[in-house]
Amino acid sequence: MLTLERVTGGYSTGKPAIHDISFSVQSGEIVGLIGLNGAGKSTILKHVLGFLQPSSGTIAFSTDQPLLAYVPEMPELYEELTLWEHLQFMAKAYGLEEQQFQERAKRLLELFRLDKRAHHFPGSFSKGMRQKVMILCAFLVKPDVLVVDEPFVGLDPLATETLLNQLTEIKQEGTAILLSTHVLSLAETYVDRFVIVHGGNMSLHGTLEQMRQQAGLPDATLEQLFLAAVRG
Amino acid sequence: MAFDPLYATRLQAAWQTGQRYAKRAVAGSNSLGLVVLYFLAAFLYMRVAESLTGTFWTQLAACLLTAVFVAPSSVRTFLRKADLAMLAPSPYPMKHYLRSAFVYSLLVQAAGMLLLAVIVYPVYKRTALSPGSWVLLAGSLILLKMWCSDLYWRHVRLERDSFLLLVAIWGIAALFLYGFWTSNRVYAAAALVLMVILTAMAMSKAARYHLPWLFLIEKENKRIDLYYTILNMFIDVPHKRKKVRPRTWAIRLFDRLTGDKGDAYLYVLVRHVIRTGETFAIYLRLAFLTLALIAWAKAPLLLYALCLLGLAAAGKQVTQHIRTIVHPPSIRLLPIASEERQRAAFRLCLAMLGLMTAGMTVVILSKTAPLLDKLALIAICWIWTYLLTAYFFRRKKTAANYQIPLKR
């Protein structure tokens, strides 16, 4: 569904932040981007989303007009739209049928326990609740490609569990998910393949088993592999 | 006296920001109303001043009112939240920094007193027992202000910024001014004695070694917030956290007037313009003012000018708001074409101007004039509404495109 081939880029052409990044995300798969702060994870995501242009390499989608959804690390909401209006806005933008929208929206609001706040403005929401709104908007449209940047930050354990269940559900429905996270224990359980980024380069990539072989650590956990990769 | 380098840098940055915003505020359509208001207020004030005589009550009222502007003092510290972590533990010479803050604030407030003297002088001349020169009045006001500022600063550094203190300063300043107004040395001397006592009392409690950082930072933040609130009346200030007003009735009305229910961008645009910033409030004020003026105006030329200018001013306000909307980056991922954005902005502006023109139509029809003249004016207003909207949202080649490149 999504393929990156030898992508080099960053915020200025003279100083690339990422170098030769190549990986793919298939439909019905979760690929985890893992790295230290400043390793280049968010930069890769911004290139995938089209917010940044690579100086070399290609980013390709298997369909011409894929539906993309993005959950940023810092929730960015329209302060002048209520939670319900945010969902309605997304439904209009993606051309969802009214009945389909009503069903999905109500289910998601209940799942994330936001049904009582549906007609509130986000000004009164906590960071976790704002994050939930972003997640709800992304799940509402059932995108072809879902890009999620540090989704677990600020979420309570119940919301984290719901999010993981929802990620699994839309994955099974065929969505390609690119997930950036620091929570390695969750990533180890829910992510199918990994890309460990260090200093803007790919250190290890593939399934857990493939990465163990690449690192020469046959019994290593994801955390051990990650630490080995970043410590060189 | 040379200002502290850090303070001087912050002061310069603040002035540059202020100048930039002032230019934008002057260019905004709301500044025109302020100019009209200024001339109106100046005219009325001069008429009132000329009608005054030197009675006890007029003298007392003049002194109490003048003291209202003399008593409140402030010190621009330019302290920021980060200073608490950066400067508070460091050996930076804050004494010099704060002295610079005090001196600068004193100079600014002294300039304010010169302006106050210009304003008050006509009343002083009419009501004082034996009025002195303007220089004498200005000098007295500056001296009073210096005392007020000094006392305020001493108390602020002791975290004793109370309303009671302000009332006491106001009372003493008024007493001094009354003595000055009536050439009564007893009142002036009594005020001076009280001033010395209050200053001595404040001095007896030396300022703490540790600065009241949180207190000073909070005061500075409140001041900046106030500036932005005032500025927000003229232009939309991005730094100012936008107050969101639900305005359900207006949302319902404009959702209907703008039509297309499936248009996602129009949906968000209507809510943005109506609920955030001052645009909608300004639009309403402008609409009501224009309608009132049209109802009052009789000369045909004036009527035409009011109609066309009122619509142009409202259109400019709405256009400015729409052009400065900053969307979350994720909107770029939504399948919303640039044509859709352009169309949505056009529809909303047309709906807002159309509603105003509908109001004008009613007022014009209710006026006593030949029907043909009224219909001609109404027709011109409607054509003007469409032309204005088309002009404000004419397609530009440089318009931003929200289509993200998917393959490179």
Side-chain angles (χ1 to χ4, degrees), chain A residues 2-230:
Chain A
L2 162 68
T3 311
L4 280 83
E5 267 180 52
R6 306 201 63 184
V7 172
T8 296
Y11 296 91
S12 62
T13 44
K15 276 188 177 178
I18 53 169
H19 313 270
D20 271 342
I21 303 291
S22 299
F23 65 88
S24 65
V25 189
Q26 304 302 326
S27 294
E29 180 187 40
I30 303 180
V31 170
L33 264 181
I34 293 162
L36 297 173
N37 296 330
K41 302 185 299 293
S42 294
T43 311
I44 294 173
L45 297 186
K46 281 175 187 163
H47 278 90
V48 168
L49 294 164
F51 297 168
L52 293 173
Q53 305 282 327
S55 50
S56 67
T58 58
I59 299 169
F61 293 92
S62 61
T63 54
D64 275 349
Q65 293 286 323
L67 287 187
L68 278 170
Y70 170 47
V71 180
E73 187 182 0
M74 298 299 289
E76 293 264 14
L77 299 172
Y78 288 100
E79 299 300 322
E80 67 276 19
L81 260 59
T82 63
L83 165 52
W84 183 257
E85 285 172 345
H86 271 89
L87 297 174
Q88 214 158 27
F89 169 55
M90 291 298 281
K92 283 174 191 288
Y94 284 87
L96 246 63
E97 295 290 329
E98 183 61 24
Q99 198 189 339
Q100 203 177 26
F101 158 68
Q102 292 279 348
E103 281 169 12
R104 283 189 199 174
K106 282 175 184 164
R107 180 170 172 260
L108 285 167
L109 285 169
E110 276 174 30
L111 278 173
F112 283 90
R113 294 175 297 121
L114 281 173
D115 39 346
K116 284 178 185 156
R117 306 298 287 264
H119 297 290
H120 288 212
F121 287 100
S124 61
F125 289 4
S126 67
K127 201 256 175 190
M129 286 167 80
R130 295 172 79 88
Q131 185 74 355
K132 281 186 196 176
V133 179
M134 300 276 356
I135 292 165
L136 253 63
C137 288
F139 282 130
L140 182 79
V141 296
K142 296 203 172 174
D144 298 321
V145 179
L146 174 61
V147 177
V148 201
D149 196 358
E150 301 288 358
F152 309 114
V153 178
L155 289 189
D156 57 63
L158 221 62
T160 305
E161 191 201 17
T162 313
L163 170 62
L164 288 165
N165 289 340
Q166 284 300 299
L167 283 173
T168 311
E169 192 180 308
I170 63 163
K171 179 186 112 170
Q172 283 163 355
E173 286 172 9
T175 299
I177 302 167
L178 180 58
L179 169 88
S180 155
T181 183
H182 280 125
V183 189
L184 300 182
S185 56
L186 289 178
E188 194 164 352
T189 314
Y190 287 89
V191 170
D192 301 304
R193 288 192 297 124
F194 303 89
V195 177
I196 297 183
V197 189
H198 184 54
N201 294 292
M202 281 170 64
S203 294
L204 297 172
H205 64 100
T207 60
L208 204 56
E209 198 48 50
Q210 287 168 338
M211 291 201 300
R212 282 173 183 148
Q213 284 172 12
Q214 288 164 25
L217 299 166
D219 300 317
T221 60
L222 178 62
E223 190 170 342
Q224 287 165 334
L225 286 169
F226 174 67
L227 291 173
V230 298

Side-chain angles (χ1 to χ4, degrees), chain B residues 108-128:
Chain B
V108 171
Q109 287 174 106
M113 288 303 103
L114 290 179
L115 184 67
L116 183 67
V118 171
I119 296 167
V120 168
Y121 190 65
V123 173
Y124 170 69
K125 221 166 66 174
R126 299 283 306 178
T127 57

